Amino acid sequence: MMSDTNRLIVLYGSQTFTAQEVAERIWRKTKILRFKGPVQAMDDYPISRLIQEEFALFVCATTGQGDEPDNMKKFWKFLLRKNLPANSLVKMKFGVIALGDSSYSKFNFVGKKLHKRLIQLGATPLLNIALCDYQHDLGHDAVLIPWTKEFFIKMQDYFPNQTTNTLNTQFIPRWQVSLIKNEDCQNGHNLNKDIYYANGLRDNFLNTHHLEVEQNSRTTHDTHFQDVRLITFRTTEDDKVDYSPGDIFNIRPRNSDEDINDLFDIFDSHNIDIKPHYRLLVQECHDDMPVPDFLKEPLTLYELAEQYWDLRAYPTQYVFSLLALVSDDKLERDKCMELSSPEGQEDWLNYSRRPKRTVLEVLHDFHKSTSKLTIEIIFELFCTIKPRSFSIASSCLTSRGTRIDILVAVVKYYSKLKKPRLGLASNWLKCLRVGDKVYGWIKMGSLKFPTDTKTPQILIGPGTGLAPFRSLIQDMAYKGLAHKDVLHLFFGCRYEHKDFHCREELLRLVEEEKLSLYCAFSRDQEDKIYVQHKIKEYSQDLWHLINDKGAYIYISGNAKNMPDNVREAFIEDVFSKEGKLDLDQAKAMLASIERDGRLQVETW
């Protein structure tokens, strides 16, 4: 069978813009193969046209407790309409790429739901769903690259004249870019505006607030290795915020002066004529890849380097394919080609991902290739800075909608490289000073607390996992509903006197009998004690709360080992030991509680 059109739509649902970037990568392949069709957020696509589409590729992330991203909600709601005939999409052949993280219990839940629903509406999958896992050594690419290759091979059944042999040999820019080398703004005018919101631009689904830093204090002792910040943002009286316990604060970080200066020093050292005050004109060159609103006004290269390009990102294999494209040094070009090839994935892992080497460090290492960079390649070389999400750590009620607190662990660690690895967002937040202005927005969180305020709540939040529970506790205290029989907080850290966040506040609430607090200080004694050990210690009380009082369980914090260890403690020490259940029954009970929404997890 051969179609009479070469239209292929690529629709994405993205919470952190990763799905959008994947969709744009696929779009490059569609252009090389001469397919036509839009690349759009699902909610931006005119869904009434869907029944006419013959070929579609969907890229979607999963958020919260298995929820769809904001820019997919309208699309998904339409697909769920009961009055849609079962043959609505009978013309469509499709593929679904799901982007997820297997450390979450509802791994790729949205992608799986979408794949199933499309089949229910009569569409035919060209391939089984791609379940991409960020936890894999290769990240999402471990599944994405071979799956995408197979997808376009399947498309050849319908378009036999298309060949996939050239997929990795052509450079397809998203937009046409050119430099405006005016000398009028060398003094730095307008270099500190926010490129996303300075002109009143807004994302369709975001309610953005202009905030001022009121406080930025360290909650850990100066001698402690980990710097954790409690940061308070203040709004204006006419721009109050509205949020509930469990909600999320989003903010887009900026690059450091050190990294920005390094970038322009690289340009200078190679005599690349790109100056901070030059402006970049971005114009449309493909009908199906419109220029975003905030890029339509020419921006200075400084603004792009500060706010748009992620200078601390770890370079993908695509970065090395771009360097190979411009390099005229055989040794470097061959190495870049190897690092960008499927056969060179292990070398790419060892060079780039495992040591967390940044894209700027790569430009230093491959200096001969770097010297040949053009503005067209540079613009595609860097991925964009993505917004970061933080659980709100305060109650909206206590400040009457004028303040937001977040609790931030500053990321600094060492790999085999000499220079420390620094998290972009946390180190930028750390350096914010009182009075600094930023833009941020609030999103409804995934944690849902019981409407019956007398229902006991077991809150397990070691480290910065305390944040959403501090919001809840403050909220209930303000309403006069906080009580030690209702709020049971399990907090863990290393040392009682070094990293016990909000210590005085929590101990005061205990004294006032508004909170029951169970602390695990892992390094204050020879044997390490974690929150799961405290769960075992108080297993009898917890069984009574869960079995007799209908308590809810909430887990918040680092996704690495803690959530699984806590689950095991409830299964083995609470349900099995105290509930007299065998292991299978105990696991079934935990699963049942989770299905009913009485166990909820928010980890990062």
Side-chain angles (χ1 to χ4, degrees), residues 13-43:
S14 183
Q15 197 64 30
T16 61
F17 297 87
T18 302
Q20 181 177 344
E21 289 187 351
V22 169
E24 289 176 355
R25 283 173 58 185
I26 292 170
W27 168 84
R28 291 190 180 97
K29 294 178 171 62
T30 69
K31 299 305 290 184
I32 293 170
L33 296 172
R34 300 190 303 281
F35 288 110
K36 298 178 181 178
V39 176
Q40 287 180 291
M42 294 185 196
D43 282 356

Side-chain angles (χ1 to χ4, degrees), residues 214-230:
E214 182 177 80
Q215 173 187 310
N216 189 342
S217 59
R218 179 169 174 152
T219 66
T220 51
H221 195 273
D222 290 342
T223 61
H224 189 57
F225 80 97
Q226 176 74 76
D227 184 354
V228 177
R229 297 278 162 161
L230 181 62

Side-chain angles (χ1 to χ4, degrees), residues 208-271:
T208 312
H209 299 275
H210 200 196
L211 308 166
E212 180 179 308
V213 178
E214 182 177 80
Q215 173 187 310
N216 189 342
S217 59
R218 179 169 174 152
T219 66
T220 51
H221 195 273
D222 290 342
T223 61
H224 189 57
F225 80 97
Q226 176 74 76
D227 184 354
V228 177
R229 297 278 162 161
L230 181 62
I231 304 174
T232 301
F233 298 97
R234 182 176 63 210
T235 70
T236 58
E237 283 296 323
D238 59 351
D239 186 28
K240 291 185 178 181
V241 291
D242 182 23
Y243 58 89
S244 301
D247 283 354
I248 305 298
F249 178 65
N250 294 274
I251 194 167
R252 186 180 277 105
R254 299 185 179 191
N255 287 305
S256 67
D257 290 341
E258 179 185 359
D259 287 340
I260 297 168
N261 292 336
D262 187 21
L263 176 66
F264 287 107
D265 286 345
I266 289 172
F267 295 156
D268 287 341
S269 66
H270 293 296
N271 295 316

Side-chain angles (χ1 to χ4, degrees), residues 366-427:
F366 290 84
H367 58 96
K368 293 180 181 178
S369 303
T370 299
S371 68
K372 303 300 179 182
L373 287 174
T374 63
I375 187 59
E376 293 83 5
I377 297 293
I378 290 167
F379 192 78
E380 298 292 337
L381 193 72
F382 297 107
C383 65
T384 57
I385 294 176
K386 300 175 182 64
R388 303 308 203 267
S389 299
F390 297 91
S391 293
I392 296 176
S394 56
S395 167
C396 185
L397 302 178
T398 59
S399 67
R400 298 181 180 178
T402 62
R403 287 179 178 80
I404 299 170
D405 287 356
I406 58 173
L407 199 58
V408 181
V410 179
V411 177
K412 178 182 179 180
Y413 63 96
Y414 290 87
S415 66
K416 70 177 185 180
L417 303 175
K418 184 177 180 180
K419 191 175 181 180
R421 308 294 93 185
L422 302 175
L424 173 61
S426 61
N427 282 275

Side-chain angles (χ1 to χ4, degrees), residues 232-452:
T232 301
F233 298 97
R234 182 176 63 210
T235 70
T236 58
E237 283 296 323
D238 59 351
D239 186 28
K240 291 185 178 181
V241 291
D242 182 23
Y243 58 89
S244 301
D247 283 354
I248 305 298
F249 178 65
N250 294 274
I251 194 167
R252 186 180 277 105
R254 299 185 179 191
N255 287 305
S256 67
D257 290 341
E258 179 185 359
D259 287 340
I260 297 168
N261 292 336
D262 187 21
L263 176 66
F264 287 107
D265 286 345
I266 289 172
F267 295 156
D268 287 341
S269 66
H270 293 296
N271 295 316
I272 300 173
D273 188 18
I274 296 178
K275 308 297 183 187
H277 62 275
Y278 287 0
R279 293 185 180 275
L280 190 75
L281 180 64
V282 182
Q283 297 174 295
E284 200 170 288
C285 58
H286 304 281
D287 293 340
D288 49 12
M289 184 58 69
V291 176
D293 287 342
F294 71 91
L295 284 177
K296 289 179 179 177
E297 174 196 354
L299 300 170
T300 65
L301 268 296
Y302 182 92
E303 289 166 341
L304 291 166
E306 181 192 43
Q307 301 177 50
Y308 186 58
W309 292 329
D310 190 342
L311 303 183
R312 287 193 186 160
Y314 311 128
T316 63
Q317 289 190 288
Y318 180 61
V319 167
F320 294 101
S321 71
L322 292 178
L323 288 175
L325 194 67
V326 298
S327 180
D328 60 7
D329 180 84
K330 186 178 185 307
L331 186 63
E332 286 194 9
R333 185 176 65 251
D334 289 349
K335 188 62 179 177
C336 285
M337 291 175 66
E338 179 186 348
L339 290 170
S340 65
S341 69
E343 298 76 21
Q345 282 183 336
E346 187 65 27
D347 288 338
W348 170 76
L349 277 172
N350 290 330
Y351 172 73
S352 179
R353 187 176 170 98
R354 286 177 179 140
K356 308 298 184 185
R357 198 181 304 270
T358 70
V359 64
L360 287 180
E361 289 170 330
V362 169
L363 296 184
H364 281 291
D365 286 354
F366 290 84
H367 58 96
K368 293 180 181 178
S369 303
T370 299
S371 68
K372 303 300 179 182
L373 287 174
T374 63
I375 187 59
E376 293 83 5
I377 297 293
I378 290 167
F379 192 78
E380 298 292 337
L381 193 72
F382 297 107
C383 65
T384 57
I385 294 176
K386 300 175 182 64
R388 303 308 203 267
S389 299
F390 297 91
S391 293
I392 296 176
S394 56
S395 167
C396 185
L397 302 178
T398 59
S399 67
R400 298 181 180 178
T402 62
R403 287 179 178 80
I404 299 170
D405 287 356
I406 58 173
L407 199 58
V408 181
V410 179
V411 177
K412 178 182 179 180
Y413 63 96
Y414 290 87
S415 66
K416 70 177 185 180
L417 303 175
K418 184 177 180 180
K419 191 175 181 180
R421 308 294 93 185
L422 302 175
L424 173 61
S426 61
N427 282 275
W428 174 73
L429 288 166
K430 169 189 172 181
C431 295
L432 289 178
R433 294 168 296 185
V434 172
D436 282 349
K437 304 286 199 306
V438 299
Y439 284 90
W441 62 96
I442 292 165
K443 180 183 181 298
M444 184 183 294
S446 62
L447 297 179
K448 304 293 187 292
F449 298 104
T451 54
D452 183 352

